[in-house]
Amino acid sequence: MPERKQTRAKSAKSRLLEPQVRSDTTHGVKRARRKRIEGDRGKSERQPAGRVFHLPTLLTNADTGKSVDETDAPSIHPALGIWPGDHVPRLYWDLSLPEDWVYKRPITEEEMEAYPVLPQQESMLILFDVEHKWTIPLEPRIGYDYMTLRCFREALGASMQQPIQLAVWNTASITKKMEIVRAFYRRTGVMFSRPDISLVIETFRTWEAVINNFCRHGVAFDDITQGMDEYVTCGAEAGYTKLQTIDLFGHNFMFWGLEFAEAPNVWELKTTSRSLARMAHHLLPGLNADRRSETTQMEEE
């Protein structure tokens, strides 16, 4: 009898311990899973799409907590890169407002004075339209030997207000010209001298659509192309248009990120629409309510 009582007592004690043991095991699995997810996030922060980048310590510590030695491999600041798994931009930046950008955390003054890419560059060439091979040359501010993150933001922002030469406009496809004209109208509000041409451009998004609907509107093709040429050149200086660089982006004037291109100082600029960029606002605590509530009516296609 004493042995049976002892056995029963032991069994009861084991039953009391079982839930605790299983609970610890469950928490252990959850902790392991959490570590694995965090590790995957860390990898995605360090590896841009299609290319492994070795990020410098100064530019990545605040985001990954990792110490990475500087190397000669192309590197980029986490806020500027395009990373796998990201469906919205990490940096909320309207390129028409050079100083107005928001990241998921404050970017320190130390980072602003650091290099946006490595190896450090005396200048950068930004390819923003692959089809037309349009580029923007960037130079550091006076007194700086190399491009810093601050220099990059200031130079790229300032370039958006630069006037566009007529030679650049003439290289654009007709569909691209229609997109640019719509962007110019949204920015300035300047009306077409001929309402019928304006109606065609606002109604159809591509030149193919204009051709397919030619009989419906009865506007001659030459009138449309000539009308667009006159629209952007009337009143401009000789050899220039009234356009600015920001107009060449059409409705995709929100920063998405940079991808490494042909050489260490050549980076391709990807942009998106404001409506898509706003999908990231819940990740950006610094994005104020006023900006979130602004209407997107003027940019809708």
Side-chain angles (χ1 to χ4, degrees):
M1 288 296 293
E3 291 182 0
R4 185 177 297 176
K5 288 182 178 180
Q6 186 177 4
T7 302
R8 287 179 179 176
K10 185 176 181 181
S11 299
K13 186 177 181 181
S14 297
R15 285 196 297 272
L16 290 173
L17 289 176
E18 269 187 6
Q20 183 63 41
V21 172
R22 290 178 180 175
S23 178
D24 287 344
T25 303
T26 302
H27 287 309
V29 172
K30 289 182 178 179
R31 283 196 298 269
R33 185 180 301 167
R34 191 180 302 114
K35 288 182 178 179
R36 184 170 65 253
I37 293 173
E38 290 175 354
D40 292 341
R41 288 175 180 171
K43 289 179 182 178
S44 67
E45 182 77 19
R46 296 190 296 271
Q47 297 179 5
R51 193 178 295 270
V52 177
F53 282 12
H54 302 282
L55 299 176
T57 302
L58 180 60
L59 303 187
T60 60
N61 258 355
D63 291 271
T64 65
K66 302 294 183 180
S67 268
V68 183
D69 293 334
E70 295 186 9
T71 68
D72 291 334
S75 309
I76 190 169
H77 189 284
L80 303 182
I82 298 179
W83 312 94
D86 285 352
H87 303 293
V88 292
R90 291 194 175 194
L91 184 66
Y92 189 95
W93 187 13
D94 182 342
L95 292 176
S96 66
L97 304 172
E99 299 297 324
D100 190 21
W101 72 359
V102 182
Y103 189 42
K104 63 183 180 181
R105 61 167 178 79
I107 297 180
T108 66
E109 286 298 313
E110 185 182 20
E111 287 178 280
M112 293 299 291
E113 294 302 321
Y115 309 126
V117 298
L118 284 177
Q120 64 267 32
Q121 301 297 324
E122 296 180 359
S123 62
M124 295 178 66
L125 190 63
I126 304 301
L127 174 65
F128 68 95
D129 191 302
V130 176
E131 178 185 356
H132 297 91
K133 295 182 173 58
W134 290 341
T135 59
I136 300 173
L138 302 182
E139 299 288 340
R141 55 163 52 183
I142 297 176
Y144 284 70
D145 295 328
Y146 296 98
M147 292 292 297
T148 65
L149 187 56
R150 191 186 308 279
C151 293
F152 170 79
R153 183 177 71 173
E154 292 178 354
L156 185 60
S159 70
M160 294 297 110
Q161 281 73 50
Q162 293 297 316
I164 298 301
Q165 294 182 353
L166 182 59
V168 175
W169 166 258
N170 290 336
T171 63
S173 64
I174 300 181
T175 294
K176 185 65 176 180
K177 286 183 177 181
M178 294 171 63
E179 180 182 348
I180 294 172
V181 163
R182 287 193 294 270
F184 176 75
Y185 171 73
R186 286 194 298 268
R187 180 174 64 84
T188 64
V190 176
M191 301 293 293
F192 260 88
S193 58
R194 287 185 53 177
D196 54 345
I197 297 178
S198 177
L199 177 63
V200 170
I201 294 174
E202 287 296 328
T203 303
F204 303 107
R205 300 302 172 224
T206 65
W207 185 242
E208 289 75 13
V210 173
I211 295 175
N212 294 336
N213 291 272
F214 170 73
C215 295
R216 183 184 305 177
H217 290 270
V219 180
F221 295 152
D222 290 343
D223 286 350
I224 298 175
T225 56
Q226 292 176 6
M228 288 192 295
D229 290 342
E230 294 174 0
Y231 180 60
V232 301
T233 58
C234 182
E237 297 182 10
Y240 283 86
T241 67
K242 295 184 294 185
L243 301 170
Q244 295 181 358
T245 304
I246 191 65
D247 298 322
L248 303 185
F249 289 83
H251 70 283
N252 291 323
F253 54 84
M254 298 297 295
F255 183 88
W256 178 279
L258 297 176
E259 285 187 343
F260 180 72
E262 304 170 357
N265 72 321
V266 182
W267 293 78
E268 182 180 349
L269 172 61
K270 302 284 189 178
T271 57
T272 186
S273 65
R274 179 176 289 169
S275 57
L276 180 58
R278 279 184 176 145
M279 293 175 62
H281 73 79
H282 65 284
L283 302 175
L284 305 172
L287 196 59
N288 57 53
D290 292 339
R291 190 181 301 137
R292 289 200 298 268
S293 62
E294 287 177 1
T295 179
T296 57
Q297 180 179 0
M298 293 299 292
E299 69 172 351
E300 291 299 329
E301 286 289 293

